[in-house]
């Protein structure tokens, strides 16, 4: 399984971010071709300042499905929407490996 993980920084206006993320962005992501699962969390730091507000994880069956999604018009639309959310974000991908 392949995963895209996106970390969103703490927004200046949390209510506006949440409204736009869940009403606009999530429906766009849900349309990605080959998307096997889509989860998000709002992590709390175990120490120090909170610098990450939301983490989204998008899972795909394999590298081919991931590449197809990354090149899709649906991903372009989701990326354009994410860029307009007004927070910095970090996006990365990798293979999911179960240790247990």
């Amino acid at each position: 399984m392949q995963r895209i993980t996106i970390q969103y920084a703490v927004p200046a206006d949390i209510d506006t971010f949440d409204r736009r993320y869940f009403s606009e962005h999530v429906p766009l992501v849900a349309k990605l071709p080959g998307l096997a699962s889509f989860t998000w969390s709002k992590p709390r730091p175990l120490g120090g300042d909170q610098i990450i507000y939301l983490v989204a994880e998008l899972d795909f069956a394999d590298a081919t499905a991931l590449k197809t999604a990354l090149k899709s018009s649906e991903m372009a639309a989701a990326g354009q929407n994410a860029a307009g959310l007004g927070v910095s974000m970090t996006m990365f991908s990798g293979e999911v490996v179960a240790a247990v």
Side-chain angles (χ1 to χ4, degrees), residues 79-98:
Q80 184 176 21
N81 179 268
L85 291 173
V87 299
S88 63
M89 59 184 171
T90 303
M91 182 172 162
F92 48 95
S93 69
E95 183 178 7
V96 177
V97 179

Side-chain angles (χ1 to χ4, degrees), residues 33-50:
L35 183 65
S37 70
F38 173 30
T39 61
W40 59 85
S41 62
K42 293 182 178 180
R44 294 186 181 124
L46 296 176
D49 295 331
Q50 182 172 8

Side-chain angles (χ1 to χ4, degrees), residues 1-2 22 43 46 51-52 57 59 67 85-86 100:
M1 181 176 296
Q2 296 288 317
F22 293 107
L46 296 176
I51 58 170
I52 302 298
E57 295 180 318
D59 290 336
K67 288 178 188 175
L85 291 173
V100 183

Side-chain angles (χ1 to χ4, degrees), residues 10-19 42 53:
V10 178
D13 183 342
I14 289 174
D15 291 336
T16 298
F17 176 88
D18 280 352
R19 180 182 48 76
K42 293 182 178 180
Y53 176 68

Side-chain angles (χ1 to χ4, degrees), residues 20-70:
R20 291 195 59 215
Y21 185 84
F22 293 107
S23 70
E24 297 172 15
H25 190 66
V26 167
L28 294 172
V29 173
K31 294 178 184 178
L32 291 176
L35 183 65
S37 70
F38 173 30
T39 61
W40 59 85
S41 62
K42 293 182 178 180
R44 294 186 181 124
L46 296 176
D49 295 331
Q50 182 172 8
I51 58 170
I52 302 298
Y53 176 68
L54 187 138
V55 176
E57 295 180 318
L58 292 67
D59 290 336
F60 300 86
D62 53 33
T64 300
L66 172 62
K67 288 178 188 175
T68 298
L70 288 171

